[in-house]
Amino acid sequence: MSRFSFPEFLSSFFSLHVAFLFAKPRCRHMIWGVSKRPRSQRRFASAPPAVIQGLGPDVPELQQARALWMANRFDESLRLFDRAVQRCPQNLVALIDASRAFGTRFEIPRAEELLDRLIRLAPQRADILHLAGQSYRMIFRPDKALECFERVLALTRQIPDASLELAVLFERRHRLTEALSIIGELLAKEPDFVEAQLMEARLRSRLGETGKAEESFRRIAKTQSAHAWVRAQAWTELAQLLDRAGGFDEAMQAMLAGKQLLLAHEAKAKRDSDLVLEHLRLLAQSVTPEHWRRWLEAARDLPPVRAAHLLGFPRSGTTLLEQVLDAHPEVISSEERETFGRDIFPGMFANGLQARPTAQELDGLGPERLVELRQRYFNFMEAALDQPIAGRVHLDKNPSQTLLLPGLLRLLPESRVFMALRDPRDVVVSCFMQYMPLNTNSVCYLTLERAAARYALDMGAWLKWREALPTIWLQVRYEDTVRDLEGEARRALAFLGLPWHEQVLRYRERLRQKPVSSPTYADVSQPVYTKAVGRWRHYLKHLEPCLPVLQPFLEAFGYG
């Protein structure tokens, strides 16, 4: 086994919870993780060096906590962070570091408490408000993050990152003109700020100013001094714009240029990805029908829960279905949280995934530990939602967790499973035509061939499992949903045992205020459309080498 932290690895492997301009900071990038990297590389990973000066003296517990964190001894590290803030309750460094550590481990109420204290101690310090805003965003408190960045801008315009963060939050809420105004002011002061240039181009594209947007995307993509990640995003945005205009050949060439920039830096992520895929492939093979039945039988002695999982494969229409169901008053959804993959799943194995996970180890999970993990799972979800589930059906939407279905159904075997389907050819093309920060999940989509192979692995496991599952499951096709939204919504609600409610068809009204974290957040805010059905035909000559791999799934799922 390599020395990387398996839970940390799963965090990126099973989540597509990615913002447009930046990924969430890696869990090791606390305040002490400052480096001399260029701005475009360290964007939002930690505070710039000038920001952390004068925040209070360092304390021994902090130094020890950081060392334990770097050694992946997270529980011990958290105890020392907690001790540090108790011993020095007004030490700003301790509060910042501890809040980010607790937040990364999904101890969200504790992280929020520490950040609230931080704000009270330094209400007029723009640098502190900036750090707090970043941290609130990381712990799923976007409203508090937005308020912090607005307060920063009211105090000073000398922290460019705060302006960009605020613009991103506005864009996520579809407040496009406000976001563009902030970016315009930022670029007037820092005209060479390439990430802000990229954000401005994206905003203009969404506002219909396609000519200006295309010109900017092309310029940024070809700017050799810009970081490769930024250039790759510009190529991707250009490809999406060309695709919408019908310039399919040029769109593919733009995507290939962007992917090439990422392929040049993929070595470690690819190596780690291959390792864990092999572990999970073997886990999938080890699960038998007897395992599923035993796990469901064991749940009869546990406190009942109302839960469902929305799985499938990325770009299969899961975001649309989730938002429709989430509009029902008896449903509450969690969108692509990392909780299960990073914390709960490793906790189901004696060695915390330091050895290959097996169905036999899942089988041996004791009832007390199972109850503890179930409660921890729901506690984490409620903390991220910032509200109680309160008897509603909890819908956990994460299409990248299909390979974790054995763990999900060991934890909650009584839950119901939605499996989102879409024409595998459209899925592979759509996954390839996205930008994701380079990590152990995104390396699977740097070529069409890899995307097809990953699809075959995930959905091949589903085909093996579905006939043996005693758990209730339902396959939902994207094509049926966009053609008959009400019919598929009724079918999905009946599957959950819920009555019909007209509110589900007005889901877009809620999206005006509700942030969506999925990469498809802009698309799902639009009226339902069918133009993405059959998109693969525009790219057939590029997709042809993948068709033999996808053919069994075309037949199995009725797309032949």
Side-chain angles (χ1 to χ4, degrees):
M1 187 73 177
S2 66
R3 293 183 61 191
F4 69 85
S5 164
F6 211 110
E8 181 181 347
F9 170 71
L10 289 174
S11 169
S12 63
F13 194 82
F14 292 107
S15 179
L16 292 181
H17 188 189
V18 179
F20 166 63
L21 283 170
F22 49 87
K24 282 192 271 187
R26 288 175 61 83
C27 64
R28 288 179 177 172
H29 287 158
M30 299 298 169
I31 195 78
W32 66 86
V34 176
S35 73
K36 298 296 185 181
R37 292 174 293 169
R39 171 188 286 162
S40 58
Q41 287 179 271
R42 63 175 166 82
R43 174 72 55 206
F44 309 121
S46 58
V51 174
I52 67 172
Q53 296 174 2
L55 300 189
D58 212 348
V59 294
E61 287 89 343
L62 280 183
Q63 299 171 16
Q64 297 169 31
R66 294 164 186 162
L68 288 169
W69 189 276
M70 298 298 287
N72 299 322
R73 294 165 62 180
F74 300 121
D75 290 340
E76 296 170 77
S77 176
L78 288 184
R79 284 194 288 272
L80 282 176
F81 276 123
D82 199 42
R83 189 182 305 168
V85 294
Q86 289 183 27
R87 191 164 77 84
C88 304
Q90 297 187 338
N91 185 296
L92 303 184
V93 169
L95 289 169
I96 293 168
D97 280 357
S99 68
R100 292 195 172 189
F102 278 104
T104 299
R105 300 303 291 173
F106 289 95
E107 299 289 347
I108 294 174
R110 179 61 169 150
E112 187 174 16
E113 173 193 342
L114 295 173
L115 289 171
D116 291 347
R117 187 195 306 175
L118 180 70
I119 296 298
R120 289 195 298 271
L121 289 172
Q124 298 300 313
R125 285 196 58 170
D127 52 356
I128 297 300
L129 291 169
H130 175 222
L131 289 171
Q134 290 179 330
S135 300
Y136 279 127
R137 171 177 56 77
M138 291 158 59
I139 63 169
F140 316 112
R141 297 295 184 265
D143 291 337
K144 286 189 174 182
L146 191 149
E147 180 183 353
C148 280
F149 295 128
E150 287 182 321
R151 290 172 64 181
V152 171
L153 266 62
L155 291 168
T156 180
R157 299 295 172 124
Q158 301 305 310
I159 304 179
D161 287 0
S163 296
L164 183 56
E165 289 259 21
L166 182 58
V168 170
L169 289 171
F170 278 162
E171 194 252 355
R172 285 273 166 167
R173 286 164 168 75
H174 315 294
R175 295 166 60 177
L176 305 182
T177 55
E178 293 170 89
L180 187 60
S181 176
I182 292 170
I183 290 295
E185 292 181 17
L186 176 56
L187 286 172
K189 293 179 178 294
E190 291 207 26
D192 296 329
F193 193 167
V194 68
E195 291 94 334
Q197 296 171 13
L198 183 60
M199 187 64 189
E200 180 188 47
R202 176 169 173 78
L203 289 165
R204 292 196 183 282
S205 178
R206 289 195 63 187
L207 287 166
E209 300 177 31
T210 54
K212 290 182 179 179
E214 180 177 347
E215 180 182 349
S216 295
F217 290 141
R218 289 186 185 276
R219 175 176 46 77
I220 296 167
K222 296 177 181 179
T223 300
Q224 296 295 321
S225 59
H227 192 268
W229 299 174
V230 177
R231 295 177 63 201
Q233 290 179 72
W235 280 120
T236 301
E237 289 292 336
L238 177 61
Q240 297 286 4
L241 191 152
L242 293 167
D243 177 90
R244 290 192 293 270
F248 305 115
D249 287 342
E250 193 177 0
M252 178 55 72
Q253 293 309 309
M255 279 307 309
L256 290 170
K259 298 293 186 181
Q260 195 61 44
L261 290 167
L262 300 175
L263 284 164
H265 300 273
E266 70 160 1
K268 184 181 185 303
K270 180 66 165 59
R271 185 169 58 250
D272 292 347
S273 181
D274 289 345
L275 175 65
V276 91
L277 280 174
E278 178 63 12
H279 278 273
L280 294 173
R281 184 184 66 80
L282 294 172
L283 174 61
Q285 291 179 351
S286 72
V287 179
T288 67
E290 289 71 29
H291 286 116
W292 301 119
R293 284 194 288 270
R294 278 199 298 273
W295 299 343
L296 183 59
E297 181 67 27
R300 294 176 182 172
D301 298 326
L302 300 174
V305 295
R306 302 178 75 193
H309 303 289
L310 177 48
L311 305 174
F313 201 78
R315 310 298 296 177
S316 293
T318 53
T319 301
L320 174 59
L321 181 60
E322 179 218 359
Q323 296 303 323
V324 169
L325 295 177
D326 190 49
H328 194 285
E330 293 185 51
V331 176
I332 185 167
S333 70
S334 293
E335 181 192 9
E336 299 186 24
R337 301 302 187 211
E338 301 171 359
T339 305
F340 183 81
R342 192 172 67 197
D343 292 293
I344 304 299
F345 187 63
M348 301 174 83
F349 299 91
N351 295 318
L353 291 180
Q354 296 308 308
R356 182 171 68 83
T358 65
Q360 288 69 31
E361 278 201 83
L362 289 174
D363 230 6
L365 195 63
E368 291 185 2
R369 179 61 174 161
L370 190 60
V371 169
E372 176 188 344
L373 289 173
R374 282 162 66 101
Q375 187 60 52
R376 185 176 181 183
Y377 169 84
F378 284 110
N379 286 346
F380 282 165
M381 290 301 188
E382 288 186 332
L385 289 164
D386 199 18
Q387 60 177 300
I389 294 172
R392 291 172 287 184
V393 176
H394 178 255
L395 178 65
D396 186 348
K397 173 251 185 177
N398 196 332
S400 294
Q401 289 191 159
T402 296
L403 286 176
L404 292 188
L405 188 61
L408 289 168
L409 293 185
R410 181 64 176 109
L411 184 74
L412 301 167
E414 70 273 44
S415 59
R416 304 193 175 199
V417 174
F418 287 104
M419 188 59 58
L421 300 180
R422 184 184 178 190
D423 188 317
R425 295 162 294 194
D426 278 334
V427 168
V428 168
V429 167
S430 188
C431 284
F432 177 75
M433 298 285 285
Q434 300 296 312
Y435 171 81
M436 289 180 282
L438 186 60
N439 58 40
T440 44
N441 184 47
S442 66
V443 293
C444 298
Y445 309 115
L446 292 184
T447 71
L448 286 164
E449 291 78 8
R450 284 190 200 171
R454 176 68 193 275
Y455 183 92
L457 177 62
D458 287 37
M459 301 311 288
W462 170 245
L463 288 177
K464 172 183 182 290
W465 292 330
R466 67 177 183 177
E467 301 306 324
L469 279 180
T471 300
I472 300 175
W473 55 268
L474 180 71
Q475 294 181 162
V476 181
R477 290 163 56 108
Y478 169 77
E479 294 83 359
D480 296 335
T481 303
V482 296
R483 289 181 180 128
D484 181 13
L485 183 63
E486 180 176 340
E488 287 302 290
R490 288 183 179 275
R491 180 168 168 259
L493 290 172
F495 171 71
L496 293 176
L498 297 176
W500 172 250
H501 200 291
E502 291 288 341
Q503 191 168 314
V504 300
L505 299 181
R506 299 194 297 272
Y507 70 95
R508 291 177 56 238
E509 296 176 4
R510 300 174 66 252
L511 293 178
R512 295 170 187 165
Q513 298 298 323
K514 176 189 174 185
V516 176
S517 299
S518 167
T520 56
Y521 66 95
D523 294 330
V524 78
S525 67
Q526 303 300 314
V528 174
Y529 55 82
T530 60
K531 62 185 178 183
V533 175
R535 182 188 186 196
W536 64 270
R537 291 184 175 87
H538 303 307
Y539 301 99
L540 178 58
K541 64 183 179 182
H542 302 280
L543 188 63
E544 277 184 330
C546 305
L547 294 181
V549 175
L550 299 177
Q551 187 59 39
F553 303 97
L554 295 172
E555 297 172 2
F557 297 137
Y559 291 99

